[in-house]
Amino acid sequence: MSQANLSEMIDRAIVDLISEQVIAALQRYQKRIVVLFTGNDEGVFVQAQPQLQTLVQQGYSLSLLFSYSARTILKRHQAAIAALSPEHIIQAGEQNAEECHRLINQSHLLLIPELSLNTLAKSALGIGDSLPSQVIAYALMQGKPIIASHHFSENNAIPPAYAANIKQHIAQLQAYGVRFIKPGELACSIDAKTQWVTTTIGRSVPLSRIIHQPVQQKKRLISLHDVLLHDPSRALYLAPNVLLTPAARDEIKKRKIQLINSKGDEYVSR
């Protein structure tokens, strides 16, 4: 074996080892979710608990935050909460904002089983005078995905002007990037197979979006692990500044995966 071949093998092993460690770290990051409870409706927790339990069974680690009014849930459902094996439990007024910020930074997602009308209005208007509104604002500023549910529905008991105002607040949060779902869709709204990474601008996006579509980052390394996750029936879109590890390049050739550059032309690997 020539010195050049030996050097290439060593470089390939080092790069792939580092890539695998990075992917493993990203997967651990993905598994952390902050769950924020607002309001004092115990029925919301009763409905959400089995769905959160499903997420725990799928390997997600939960940190639970309770607003001032939601502390009654914490007191009356201690056993059900303990069954979720939460990493952290924070009550309004118990911890400082820095602790909540740390949890948001370490988690992929903010999940809100019930967004109270009070917190809805404050968050839409940018008012951060409570734990929930501060947490939501910080998550938005950090580009964290937010999935929320609410029980608002128009009925004859709500004046039309008031209902319109609530709908406007909902639309504003949607414009900020908050995704609203039905109360019974908490667990299924999170795809356990989706791998998330953080881009250079701090946004969390699916890894598949980086692999399957043109890449916008300044630099991206595609490893063997990335290629193994890729559907060989689909073309692999790579921006000009994307690098392939030697092992990834060999696997692409082996699986005959078509490479397309950012202009839509056939990509010549390097």
Side-chain angles (χ1 to χ4, degrees), residues 8-253:
E8 181 180 353
M9 288 181 61
I10 294 174
D11 290 344
R12 178 183 302 180
I14 292 174
V15 170
D16 283 335
L17 177 60
I18 294 175
S19 300
E20 295 297 328
Q21 291 176 343
V22 170
I23 292 296
L26 291 172
Q27 289 175 332
R28 290 194 297 271
Y29 165 76
Q30 173 219 350
K31 290 295 186 179
R32 290 193 174 100
I33 297 177
V34 173
V35 184
L36 173 63
F37 289 96
T38 68
N40 58 1
D41 188 348
E42 296 182 44
V44 170
F45 176 79
V46 172
Q47 183 179 24
Q49 199 275 343
Q51 299 180 70
L52 296 177
Q53 190 67 56
T54 297
L55 292 176
V56 172
Q57 293 171 354
Q58 291 175 350
Y60 289 93
S61 178
L62 309 181
S63 292
L64 309 182
L65 309 184
F66 293 85
S67 69
Y68 187 84
S69 58
R71 291 187 302 176
T72 56
I73 297 175
L74 183 58
K75 294 178 181 178
R76 298 180 182 179
H77 298 272
Q78 294 182 12
I81 291 173
L84 298 175
S85 302
E87 272 193 308
H88 305 87
I89 298 178
I90 294 180
Q91 305 179 51
E94 182 181 76
Q95 299 283 347
N96 57 34
E98 293 181 358
E99 177 68 8
C100 294
H101 292 175
R102 183 181 65 81
L103 293 180
I104 291 294
N105 289 335
Q106 294 178 351
S107 301
H108 152 63
L109 172 73
L110 175 60
L111 184 63
I112 310 174
E114 166 63 7
L115 185 59
S116 67
L117 294 182
N118 180 47
T119 301
L120 169 67
K122 287 184 176 182
S123 298
L125 297 174
I127 301 174
D129 63 352
S130 65
L131 172 70
S133 59
Q134 290 172 1
V135 167
I136 292 173
Y138 186 78
L140 288 172
M141 295 298 290
Q142 297 302 309
K144 299 292 183 176
I146 300 178
I147 298 178
S149 177
H150 64 80
H151 288 74
F152 167 73
S153 61
E154 297 184 66
N155 56 56
N156 296 331
I158 301 179
Y162 187 74
N165 189 44
I166 296 175
K167 292 171 65 176
Q168 184 177 357
H169 291 327
I170 294 174
Q172 185 62 62
L173 285 184
Q174 288 176 322
Y176 291 160
V178 177
R179 177 187 172 194
F180 284 96
I181 59 172
K182 296 179 180 179
E185 297 179 348
L186 294 180
C188 63
S189 66
I190 303 174
D191 184 359
K193 296 181 180 180
T194 301
Q195 296 183 341
W196 296 82
V197 299
T198 301
T199 68
T200 55
I201 59 173
R203 299 289 178 180
S204 296
V205 297
L207 179 59
S208 59
R209 186 180 302 171
I210 291 178
I211 297 177
H212 295 157
Q213 298 180 6
V215 180
Q216 301 300 326
Q217 293 97 317
K218 292 183 179 180
K219 193 172 184 179
R220 167 67 181 166
L221 182 69
I222 300 298
S223 71
L224 172 61
H225 189 275
D226 297 325
V227 177
L228 292 174
L229 292 174
H230 183 78
D231 182 355
S233 66
R234 300 179 61 181
L236 186 61
Y237 291 87
L238 301 177
N241 54 9
V242 170
L243 301 178
L244 297 170
T245 68
R249 187 162 51 241
D250 291 345
E251 186 66 20
I252 288 172
K253 293 179 180 179

